[in-house]
Amino acid sequence: LVVKTIDTDDNGVGEVCVKGDCVFCGYTTETANPFTEDGYFKTGDLGYVKDGKLFITGRKKKVLIGSNGENIYVTDIQAKLRKMDSNINFVRLSLKDDKLDALFFLQNQNNTNLDKLVADYNENCDHKDIIHSYSLSEKRNNDKLVD
């Protein structure tokens, strides 16, 4: 099995691609063309290769790409926000006009000051991860969420 990464960022993290006898043409992914031009299968995983070892850091679909090409790692932001406030059930992140927007799903809507939470988060995050707009979901805490 041969492994490489493509579309790497400044940290060397990119999409993991594999080639070899164990990869077969019948495998499907969320991408329209699951293979690179040179025959590597795009796994949808993010990672890097160091000293001949593969390190997986996440999934490609959990990354938003800004218009300037910067990767915005959704799961990292969600984890930081949940660590700051245990009342957060889920945060759906998206780009609106190339600015990060957050939709908060809370366990108890009266226990979180979203203005303060977002201001505190923005004060300590990378510039590319700043939440520019946010809202509170009207869903009840027992409603099922699908990511």
Side-chain angles (χ1 to χ4, degrees), residues 127-139:
H127 179 72
K128 66 181 179 57
D129 296 337
I130 288 176
I131 296 172
H132 291 272
S133 60
Y134 56 93
S135 56
L136 179 61
S137 171
E138 296 300 319
K139 282 188 172 280

Side-chain angles (χ1 to χ4, degrees), residues 80-88 106 111-113 117:
K80 288 176 187 175
L81 288 164
R82 283 184 181 144
K83 187 175 181 181
M84 292 173 68
D85 190 329
S86 62
N87 188 41
I88 295 173
L106 303 177
N111 288 353
T112 297
N113 180 336
L117 174 68

Side-chain angles (χ1 to χ4, degrees), residues 6-145:
I6 61 172
D7 303 326
T8 56
D9 63 14
D10 293 340
N11 298 319
V13 174
E15 183 173 8
V16 176
C17 299
V18 295
K19 188 177 189 180
D21 294 338
C22 63
V23 179
F24 58 98
C25 294
Y27 201 98
T28 59
T29 66
E30 298 154 354
T31 56
N33 183 4
F35 291 90
T36 63
E37 289 182 14
D38 55 351
Y40 281 79
F41 174 68
K42 301 175 192 175
T43 67
D45 293 313
L46 293 175
Y48 62 94
V49 177
K50 182 177 179 183
D51 300 327
K53 295 179 183 176
L54 174 64
F55 297 86
I56 302 292
T57 60
R59 291 284 298 159
K60 186 173 182 179
K61 75 174 195 171
K62 301 286 186 181
V63 176
L64 299 173
I65 309 295
S67 64
N68 59 1
E70 287 184 304
N71 291 338
I72 301 168
Y73 294 97
V74 171
T75 52
D76 290 348
I77 296 170
Q78 291 169 331
K80 288 176 187 175
L81 288 164
R82 283 184 181 144
K83 187 175 181 181
M84 292 173 68
D85 190 329
S86 62
N87 188 41
I88 295 173
N89 203 19
F90 184 75
V91 183
R92 180 166 291 139
L93 298 167
S94 61
L95 290 174
K96 288 187 180 177
D97 298 323
D98 203 40
K99 294 182 179 178
L100 195 58
D101 176 71
L103 176 60
F104 287 87
F105 296 80
L106 303 177
Q107 294 174 31
N108 184 329
Q109 294 187 2
N110 297 323
N111 288 353
T112 297
N113 180 336
L114 281 182
D115 293 334
K116 180 170 178 11
L117 174 68
V118 172
D120 290 347
Y121 167 80
N122 284 344
E123 189 174 306
N124 296 302
C125 72
D126 291 337
H127 179 72
K128 66 181 179 57
D129 296 337
I130 288 176
I131 296 172
H132 291 272
S133 60
Y134 56 93
S135 56
L136 179 61
S137 171
E138 296 300 319
K139 282 188 172 280
R140 297 178 312 275
N141 63 348
N142 59 348
D143 288 342
K144 300 267 188 229
L145 298 176

